[in-house]
Amino acid sequence: MATRKATNKSTATSPAELRDLMWKAADKLRGSMNASDYMNFVLGLIFLKYVSDSFDERVEALRAELVADGFEGDALEDELEDCLNDPDEFYSASVYFVPEKARWGFIAQQAKSGKVGALLDTAMREIMVSNPRLSGALSEIYNRENVDQTRLAGLIDLFSNADFKAMREDTGRSSLDILGEVYEYFLGQFASKQGQRGGEFYTPRSVVRTLVEILNPVDGTLYDPCCGSGGMFVQSEKFVETHGKQFKQEKGYEPALTVYGQEYNDQTWRLARLNLAIHGIFGHLGDRWGDTFAEDRHAGENFDFVLANPPFNLKEWSRRTDDPRWTFGVPPERNANYAWLQHIWSKLNAGGAAAVVLANGSMTSNTGGEDEIRRAMVQGDAVAAMLVLPANLFTGTAIPVCVWVLAKDKSAGKRGVLERKGQVLMIDARGLGRMVDRRTRVFDDADIQKIAGAWHRWRGTDSELNAGGYEDELGFCRSVTVEDIEAQDWALAPGRYVGSAVVEDEGEPVEVRIARLRVTLAEQFAESARLAEVVQKHLAELDLPDVPAEATEEADAKEDK
């Protein structure tokens, strides 16, 4: 009886197995380099594998086209060789051109030579030269002294032997889709490992999906002034494709949705460019990183949609008091929250809408004139909706956050058939989501549809989630007027308007419950301080006689006793 020949090669036959296998293998290299280098190191390899596989698939498609045109034998190979030397044959199909010595097959053959690091650095350099859109996006960090070349060769071998054919057959998806999923998985893993720092380049998928479902960006232009690793764009792509339109740009073809972005951190900017590239999205992220406040890379441009998760409570930022973006008031020097909001509002076109993630304090803050800016924004009809999210959605912090939905025009029109001038939708989603582990909460599809559905019914948009008319729901959502908000001293915390929400915490880990209750307590302390200020203000406005000095002394004496 014949026996199967043993093999030492690890093989993954499902996307989940591939993600797990690649992460564990790559993790062996982590000890000899710092976290940021390690992240770029591994993601660069995944990207190289992606562009090589894309290139190879395009070569097979070209071969099939030539055969269909009647070429065969040497004539076929000669014609195919000409195609391999013509980058336009690849650009026209939204595929990056990969020079011969940068192709994964060539590197895999040479991996055991002991010079794989040098080969990879050369590959990264040649890909950037051949594809100007990727200039500066890849890192030449594989031939450094701190890189274990033996383990690196083993990692190349593992990536090479992933059974993509089996995965394609089992899932009905292309190997490129699977690699894109692996890239997203790795981004999430790096964000988790880096804690709060990871939040700078990664917004949780369920949060991004919620924002995308609210804005409904099926066509037009989409902007993110602090785009991180580009997750907003990737989820928007998936949304557009789900709705049957074209998002990926091909040569000579304008996509349904065009993306624009900017990022301040140079390494994160590179991650964003690779993330877009691995999903086939040709976005406009500028020719380098840059500070949005100091140097707007898209100055003078306006957009249909803005999605953003800016750094919370940013203290060091480029502030000019005469900046024309400050339509509603000059933001305070030590907090950029209202600078982000006004910059984003200024970038919307006449019918544009934005969804912006910020710290909960932005809804009620009174420092540095923020309350006056908030009042002006509400009175100016810039705020369309406020959404407060539950704790533990974000990597590295249990603090809940909120979403500001801004609009340039709330009248009946393209973005909704219902007139909503002078109104704001309040949504309290703190009771939604589920804990997937002791630290992480996620939204399921039903949660996202509940939130986005409330918005679409309220606005009357052309969306599959707009089923039936809008109605207030106690503890979850309520449509309020400017007068209602004025009665609350211009605070925008939804919990003040929607009524008591039942927060389901059965089975909630004690540390998560404590973190949530601490946030609630902090909000209550802040509210107490605000009410004390209001009482003091009203007392000062009353025409009351002064208290006689002897009465004050008598009261003090009684207190001493």
Side-chain angles (χ1 to χ4, degrees), residues 19 73 94 121 132 144 150 169 217 235 251 267 344 392 411 423 445 504 515 530:
R19 293 195 306 263
S94 253
D121 280 352
R144 295 179 178 178
T150 301
E169 292 173 351
Q235 289 300 320
K251 187 175 182 181
Q267 291 186 343
I344 287 167
N392 297 100
S411 61
Q423 302 174 58
D445 288 347
E504 180 62 54
R530 186 190 70 83

Side-chain angles (χ1 to χ4, degrees), residues 129-205:
V129 169
S130 299
N131 302 274
R133 284 181 178 270
L134 295 175
S135 178
L138 298 168
S139 300
E140 299 174 40
I141 55 177
Y142 297 92
N143 200 35
R144 295 179 178 178
E145 291 184 0
N146 65 335
V147 177
D148 186 325
Q149 297 294 309
T150 301
R151 286 185 176 179
L152 178 57
L155 190 58
I156 297 293
D157 192 44
L158 171 67
F159 283 23
S160 299
N161 286 282
D163 193 345
F164 285 105
K165 180 180 179 181
M167 290 182 218
R168 289 197 300 271
E169 292 173 351
D170 291 344
T171 65
R173 298 163 58 194
S174 72
S175 59
L176 306 184
D177 284 341
I178 295 168
L179 272 174
E181 182 180 300
V182 168
Y183 190 90
E184 289 183 65
Y185 172 78
F186 270 54
L187 280 176
Q189 288 291 95
F190 285 125
S192 176
K193 295 289 183 181
Q194 294 192 40
Q196 192 165 357
R197 163 66 181 89
E200 293 180 19
F201 66 85
Y202 185 79
T203 306
R205 179 184 296 185

Side-chain angles (χ1 to χ4, degrees), residues 215 304-307 344-345 348 352-356 404-407:
L215 286 193
D304 298 306
F305 307 98
V306 181
L307 286 167
I344 287 167
W345 190 83
L348 293 174
V356 188
W404 292 64
V405 180
L406 307 178

Side-chain angles (χ1 to χ4, degrees), residues 339-448:
W340 286 114
L341 288 171
Q342 293 187 85
H343 166 75
I344 287 167
W345 190 83
S346 74
K347 302 297 283 188
L348 293 174
N349 66 23
V356 188
V357 181
L358 281 178
N360 270 6
S362 65
M363 300 185 293
T364 57
S365 58
N366 294 324
T367 58
E370 289 182 327
D371 52 340
E372 289 301 311
I373 299 174
R374 187 167 59 251
R375 175 189 59 76
M377 291 182 69
V378 173
Q379 291 179 327
D381 234 13
V383 183
M386 295 298 303
L387 163 66
V388 64
L389 299 175
N392 297 100
L393 283 174
F394 278 73
T395 300
T397 177
I399 297 175
V401 300
C402 65
V403 177
W404 292 64
V405 180
L406 307 178
K408 273 291 178 74
D409 185 0
K410 291 191 284 184
S411 61
K414 181 180 179 181
R415 301 303 176 195
V417 299
L418 297 179
E419 171 78 42
R420 289 298 184 181
K421 287 184 177 181
Q423 302 174 58
V424 177
L425 176 63
M426 297 289 179
I427 301 177
D428 189 338
R430 288 178 294 179
L432 301 183
R434 62 183 175 86
M435 301 298 295
V436 294
D437 56 43
R438 296 179 67 85
R439 295 182 178 181
T440 309
R441 182 182 296 271
V442 299
F443 281 156
D444 290 325
D445 288 347
D447 300 316
I448 295 172

